[in-house]
Amino acid sequence: MDSALQILPSISTLSSSVASFLSDRLHTKQDLTTAPTLASQLQSQCSELEQTLDDLNSKLESSLLSYASFSDQTRGLINVAGSKLTDLGSLTRAPTSISINGGGEGEWKKGQILGEELPAMAKEVARVEIVRAYAETALKLDALVGDVEDAVSSSMNKNLRKHSSTQSSEELRLHAIERLGQTENVLTTITKTQPQWTRLVSAVDHRVDRALAILRPQAIADHRALLVSLGWPPRLSTMISSNLDAPKSTEVPNPLFTMQGDLKHQYCKNFLALCHLQELQRKRKSRQLEGHYREVALHQPLWAIEELVTPISIACQKHFSKWVDQVEFIFALVYKITRDYVDTMDELLQPLVDESRLIGYSCREEWVSAMVTSLLTYLAKEIFPTYVNQLEDEIVTGIKSQARISWLHIVDLMITFDKRVKSLVSHSGIAFSLQEDANLPRISSLSIFCDRPDWLDLWAEIELKDTLEKLKPELDDDRNWRMKIQGAALSSGPENYKSPAVSGVFLRRLSLVVDRCRSIPTYPLRSRFLRLVGSPLIQRFLDCVLVRCQEAEGLTALTDDNALIKVTNSVNAAHYFESVLKEWCEDIFFLEMGYDQSDSREVQIDGSVGGIFNEEIEHLEAFRNEWVEKISVVVLRGFDAKCRDYMKNRRQWQEKGEEGWAVSKYLIGALDHLQEKMAIIEENLNGIDFVSVWRSLAAGLDRLLFNGILMNNVKFHDCGVQRLSHDLEVLFGAFRAWCLRPEGFFPKLSEGLKLLKMGEEQIQDSLREGKKDKRIRHLGRGEVEKIVNSRVFVN
């Protein structure tokens, strides 16, 4: 038994935490009975802690293995970096720095070299490299420009210092152009990669400009001499003696086609030299104007074509001076020359331009443009100033001359000439837009007004006066105001505007003005011309219809049927005119002109019709709305005069109606007047404005009868309510021909009648609760109470 007893260790051998734990759990004798349970719990917890400790040990072991592997890799990288730094230090260390000085001073010198001297050395090397590149580029440019200067000097002085004596001036010129091209390529590269070398570029440009100042005039002079030897220009006397409007002349030989052998080879080489020189000039200007307005440099007239046109222009002016009073001959001759030689440009010269790689040039277009320019120059110097002086003399003396007729005649010739010239250009196969195009002013004789907008204003003034003079007899013809336009419906809708013929007369004249405006080559000038001519024409039309309406109103206050018809015709004319203008303004031609920024007026294309005539359309619409309202007011005024006795008779709403009368006899005259006037208006007024008339009239009648009867402090018995119901039914029936539910256009009368038809209990409940019936939406509370109080119920 003693051996089974377990002796507890001494308390002094236990730790304080264990002693405290046992003291808490085994405080009394009774607690000793729980000791086995406590021991098993402690054993279980110890087993769990031991398992956790084993797991932690395995994780620590794997982590240590991973760290050891990573540490080895890191140590290897550090060793490699250290060896490389050592090698770099040995390369930069001075030979005597270690032998003379101690090890510590050597390490300090090494750090100084790596931290300060090495970056400075790198900067110095880069600077030396830039200086070397600058020097090499400068030497290269000096050699290229020197070759150019030598070639130019040799071609002038025939002193060939660096070239063999067998070289001709054309070969030297081509050599100089080739070197100039190489120089330009180098300068372009410098501009993009070394923009700080501005002085070098400026110095080279200065030397190149001096060389070009000699090279280009020399090349042009040689080209002119070559043209003379070819027999250019051809004789014009033979061309003039033949019919100017005949097909191409076969009697006059074309010197460009007849040249053969060495002469042709020499001309082609000279032509190519000019093209190469012009392309070089274009590249230089494009580089020099980088970031600025480059359009001037991108396209200039072709020099070789200008040299063909200039002698022809000089020869033509001798004949032009004889045709000052017959300018149609001038246009005919210029067109004939242009047409006869235009194919030569395509067949002979265009391949040379393509060979020279001149981008964006058509010889056909350049030929036409140069011929048109020569014509414009003569017109601007000799013809138009003469007409202007004649017009000024006409203003001073008051004596009419032929200057206005001559002006319009020459404009007609210019428009016809431009159309024929455009047809020549269109045959080149190049897509050519007749709208705003950069090339359009170059081939249009009307571009003379681009430089002289004051002449455009003068043309517009003459055009406007001439158009108004032609309109005057047609305006005075009363048949144009009575006769309707046949088929006046527009493409935008099937409406028949019942417009008189006078609106068609104005529109035809305005259309002619628009057609002449289309020939003007730029949007701002088109817009300016159309506003100077078209807008006053529209205003003149509006003044005419307004005067006729005012005359009709002033004579009879529109009570006469003829006066009423006169007004409806004017409204029809204005509405048709307005609709045509709106349809025009949806065209891109008018919308583009509306974007002219030189004018303060804006174009509206966000749902509302706008454009260049937007203001005039608004005036026409305001006129139409004003007189449509006046027509409805006239009918309403007549109805009011006819039914005054009806509205003054208060006793009728307390008495039964007469036997055999479906409507009050005092209202019959007013209804007859209403139907008679509306029948006339419906017959003569267009459908759109007629809808506005009867709707406005219905609103006026609703206010008139509501205020004159329901708001007139009358008493309504049952018989009066029935009488009013019959009268309003007849009134509504007069409008049933134009709508399915006419009572909807008489909201106050309809709702007032609903109140009168309510029963006594329903009305009392409504008044007691202080609420309106949901069906009553157009009457105020005061109006409802007044109508309800006017209802009399007799038991």
Side-chain angles (χ1 to χ4, degrees):
M1 182 177 180
D2 293 337
S3 60
L5 293 176
Q6 296 182 358
I7 301 174
L8 296 175
S10 175
I11 193 170
S12 60
T13 61
L14 299 176
S15 64
S16 60
S17 59
V18 173
S20 177
F21 175 78
L22 293 174
S23 177
D24 292 337
R25 296 298 181 92
L26 304 174
H27 189 65
T28 62
K29 292 182 178 182
Q30 294 178 352
D31 295 334
L32 292 175
T33 59
T34 62
T37 305
L38 178 62
S40 63
Q41 290 177 355
L42 291 174
Q43 289 176 356
S44 174
Q45 291 178 2
C46 288
S47 300
E48 292 177 358
L49 291 173
E50 287 175 356
Q51 182 64 37
T52 304
L53 182 60
D54 293 336
D55 295 338
L56 291 174
N57 287 331
S58 10
K59 289 182 180 180
L60 179 62
E61 184 179 359
S62 63
S63 299
L64 289 174
L65 291 174
S66 300
Y67 175 77
S69 175
F70 177 77
S71 177
D72 292 337
Q73 294 178 1
T74 305
R75 188 181 298 107
L77 294 174
I78 292 174
N79 292 334
V80 172
S83 63
K84 290 184 177 181
L85 289 174
T86 303
D87 295 338
L88 180 63
S90 63
L91 291 175
T92 57
R93 186 182 299 113
T96 59
S97 61
I98 298 177
S99 60
I100 298 177
N101 300 318
E105 186 178 356
E107 292 296 327
W108 176 83
K109 185 66 175 178
K110 174 182 177 181
Q112 184 181 17
I113 292 174
L114 291 176
E116 298 178 5
E117 297 182 8
L118 189 59
M121 186 181 301
K123 291 181 181 179
E124 183 65 19
V125 170
R127 189 185 68 81
V128 171
E129 179 63 23
I130 292 175
V131 172
R132 184 189 63 79
Y134 184 90
E136 289 180 354
T137 305
L139 289 174
K140 182 178 181 179
L141 288 172
D142 182 66
L144 290 172
V145 177
D147 285 349
V148 172
E149 292 172 342
D150 288 344
V152 171
S153 176
S154 298
S155 63
M156 289 184 63
N157 302 324
K158 307 299 182 181
N159 183 16
L160 308 180
R161 292 183 299 171
K162 298 176 67 175
H163 304 280
S164 63
S165 58
T166 59
Q167 288 182 299
S168 64
S169 59
E170 288 81 3
E171 293 175 343
L172 290 174
R173 187 180 300 117
L174 288 175
H175 177 74
I177 294 173
E178 181 183 357
R179 287 292 184 265
L180 284 172
Q182 296 173 1
T183 304
E184 183 58 31
N185 292 336
V186 174
L187 293 178
T188 301
T189 303
I190 292 174
T191 304
K192 294 179 179 179
T193 59
Q194 302 291 344
Q196 69 274 17
W197 293 356
T198 54
R199 292 187 178 181
L200 175 62
V201 174
S202 177
V204 174
D205 275 340
H206 180 66
R207 293 178 64 183
V208 170
D209 286 337
R210 288 190 302 177
L212 287 175
I214 301 173
L215 191 62
R216 180 186 173 185
Q218 181 186 5
I220 291 177
D222 291 346
H223 189 77
R224 290 174 180 174
L226 187 58
L227 287 176
V228 172
S229 65
L230 290 174
W232 188 269
R235 292 178 301 168
L236 300 182
S237 57
T238 307
M239 300 178 64
I240 296 171
S241 61
S242 61
N243 187 2
L244 292 177
D245 294 327
K248 293 184 181 181
S249 176
T250 57
E251 299 176 0
V252 182
N254 186 344
L256 298 179
F257 273 147
T258 57
M259 59 182 179
Q260 298 291 334
D262 294 339
L263 194 59
K264 182 177 181 179
H265 177 72
Q266 188 177 2
Y267 174 79
C268 292
K269 184 180 291 187
N270 196 276
F271 188 94
L272 281 172
L274 277 182
C275 290
H276 285 303
L277 197 59
Q278 185 166 2
E279 174 64 11
L280 172 67
Q281 187 75 356
R282 186 194 67 82
K283 288 182 178 179
R284 296 187 71 247
K285 290 297 180 183
S286 180
R287 171 180 58 81
Q288 293 170 352
L289 295 176
E290 184 72 32
H292 301 280
Y293 186 71
R294 299 174 58 190
E295 296 299 325
V296 177
L298 294 181
H299 191 95
Q300 292 291 322
L302 200 58
W303 296 345
I305 300 298
E306 283 188 327
E307 294 305 317
L308 290 174
V309 173
T310 300
I312 290 182
S313 177
I314 296 173
C316 285
Q317 289 183 13
K318 300 177 182 178
H319 302 281
F320 291 168
S321 60
K322 305 174 184 177
W323 298 334
V324 175
D325 297 329
Q326 294 175 308
V327 289
E328 60 271 14
F329 291 160
I330 297 176
F331 286 92
L333 178 60
V334 173
Y335 174 74
K336 182 173 179 61
I337 296 173
T338 306
R339 180 198 61 193
D340 287 352
Y341 294 95
V342 71
D343 291 338
T344 306
M345 307 300 143
D346 288 340
E347 298 172 11
L348 179 64
L349 302 184
Q350 186 63 45
L352 297 177
V353 173
D354 296 338
E355 182 181 348
S356 66
R357 297 181 181 180
L358 261 175
I359 301 174
Y361 280 94
S362 165
C363 284
R364 172 184 286 261
E365 195 171 307
E366 293 298 322
W367 166 257
V368 173
S369 174
M371 290 299 297
V372 171
T373 302
S374 68
L375 172 63
L376 287 182
T377 303
Y378 184 80
L379 294 178
K381 289 183 178 180
E382 304 296 336
I383 304 299
F384 275 96
T386 303
Y387 292 164
V388 172
N389 292 334
Q390 291 176 2
L391 289 172
E392 292 175 353
D393 294 340
E394 181 179 324
I395 295 173
V396 174
T397 61
I399 302 175
K400 289 188 176 182
S401 64
Q402 295 294 318
R404 296 180 183 274
I405 299 175
S406 300
W407 191 290
L408 295 177
H409 177 59
I410 197 173
V411 168
D412 291 336
L413 292 173
M414 294 168 76
I415 293 174
T416 304
F417 175 81
D418 287 352
K419 291 179 180 179
R420 301 176 74 183
V421 162
K422 287 175 185 175
S423 67
L424 291 178
V425 176
S426 63
H427 286 102
S428 64
I430 298 176
F432 190 79
S433 173
L434 297 181
Q435 301 299 325
E436 180 72 334
D437 189 279
N439 294 328
L440 186 54
R442 300 175 59 239
I443 63 169
S444 173
S445 61
L446 289 173
S447 60
I448 191 174
F449 297 112
C450 296
D451 297 328
R452 295 299 303 265
D454 55 324
W455 288 357
L456 180 78
D457 297 346
L458 191 55
W459 171 27
E461 179 185 348
I462 296 171
E463 193 76 39
L464 177 61
K465 288 183 178 180
D466 180 70
T467 304
L468 291 176
E469 288 176 0
K470 293 177 180 178
L471 276 172
K472 190 175 184 307
E474 297 184 273
L475 292 177
D476 295 338
D477 190 353
D478 195 54
R479 293 176 299 177
N480 288 330
W481 293 96
R482 297 195 309 268
M483 185 173 57
K484 305 295 183 182
I485 296 178
Q486 300 298 324
L490 302 178
S491 59
S492 57
E495 295 86 0
N496 181 10
Y497 294 95
K498 300 180 181 180
S499 175
V502 68
S503 57
V505 170
F506 263 97
L507 286 170
R508 282 195 298 273
R509 292 297 176 183
L510 182 60
S511 180
L512 291 175
V513 172
V514 172
D515 289 341
R516 293 169 77 79
C517 170
R518 291 179 187 273
S519 301
I520 300 176
T522 63
Y523 291 137
L525 289 184
R526 293 175 196 167
S527 175
R528 183 171 182 167
F529 179 81
L530 204 53
R531 285 173 178 164
L532 289 173
V533 184
S535 296
L537 278 178
I538 300 173
Q539 186 60 46
R540 173 60 176 157
F541 170 79
L542 185 58
D543 293 341
C544 289
V545 294
L546 180 61
V547 168
R548 288 181 66 84
C549 290
Q550 290 174 343
E551 289 177 352
E553 183 184 32
L555 291 175
T556 64
L558 302 184
T559 56
D560 183 64
D561 292 346
N562 291 331
L564 193 60
I565 293 173
K566 194 173 185 179
V567 172
T568 57
N569 281 339
S570 297
V571 172
N572 292 340
H575 201 159
Y576 179 68
F577 203 97
E578 173 192 339
S579 302
V580 173
L581 289 183
K582 286 182 177 180
E583 193 173 75
W584 284 3
C585 288
E586 292 174 357
D587 187 83
I588 189 65
F589 173 76
F590 291 92
L591 290 176
E592 287 171 334
M593 284 192 295
Y595 281 113
D596 178 17
Q597 298 299 322
S598 63
D599 200 293
S600 61
R601 303 198 307 183
E602 297 179 354
V603 69
Q604 299 176 357
I605 54 176
D606 51 348
S608 60
V609 178
I612 191 171
F613 292 137
N614 187 46
E615 186 176 335
E616 287 74 19
I617 290 173
E618 291 176 355
H619 291 166
L620 288 168
E621 188 175 1
F623 162 82
R624 184 168 52 83
N625 293 334
E626 176 187 356
W627 286 95
V628 163
E629 183 65 26
K630 284 188 177 184
I631 290 174
S632 63
V633 168
V634 166
V635 179
L636 181 63
R637 191 188 305 129
F639 184 90
D640 183 21
K642 297 287 184 180
C643 71
R644 285 179 182 175
D645 293 338
Y646 173 74
M647 290 188 292
K648 289 180 180 180
N649 187 2
R650 299 184 179 185
R651 294 186 60 185
Q652 63 181 332
W653 311 117
Q654 303 170 20
E655 302 172 350
K656 291 184 179 181
E658 297 85 351
E659 292 292 336
W661 292 87
V663 63
S664 299
K665 61 182 180 181
Y666 295 107
L667 187 61
I668 293 176
L671 291 174
D672 288 342
H673 173 81
L674 174 66
Q675 291 181 332
E676 178 186 352
K677 292 297 182 182
M678 291 303 292
I680 295 174
I681 295 171
E682 184 178 14
E683 180 182 357
N684 293 279
L685 189 62
N686 68 85
I688 299 175
D689 288 323
F690 179 73
V691 171
S692 301
V693 169
W694 72 255
R695 287 189 175 184
S696 176
L697 179 60
L701 290 174
D702 186 48
R703 292 190 301 269
L704 174 67
L705 295 178
F706 179 78
N707 293 325
I709 298 176
L710 298 181
M711 293 287 104
N712 202 17
N713 297 321
V714 299
K715 298 299 180 181
F716 286 94
H717 291 231
D718 291 342
C719 58
V721 174
Q722 187 177 8
R723 178 196 291 267
L724 179 62
S725 178
H726 291 164
D727 291 347
L728 292 183
E729 182 62 28
V730 175
L731 177 63
F732 295 162
F735 287 83
R736 190 162 281 113
W738 311 309
C739 60
L740 295 176
R741 190 175 172 274
E743 57 270 14
F745 295 94
F746 296 85
K748 288 183 174 292
L749 285 175
S750 300
E751 294 181 358
L753 186 60
K754 288 178 183 178
L755 288 172
L756 292 175
K757 287 182 177 181
M758 287 182 182
E760 184 176 4
E761 294 181 0
Q762 187 179 2
I763 290 177
Q764 293 301 327
D765 292 343
S766 178
L767 290 175
R768 194 165 40 249
E769 295 175 2
K771 296 180 180 179
K772 285 199 314 180
D773 192 298
K774 293 182 179 180
R775 296 174 297 173
I776 309 302
R777 296 179 300 163
H778 297 87
L779 299 180
R781 181 169 297 279
E783 293 174 331
V784 170
E785 292 178 355
K786 193 169 186 178
I787 294 174
V788 169
N789 291 331
S790 68
R791 185 70 168 91
V792 177
F793 293 96
V794 180
N795 295 328

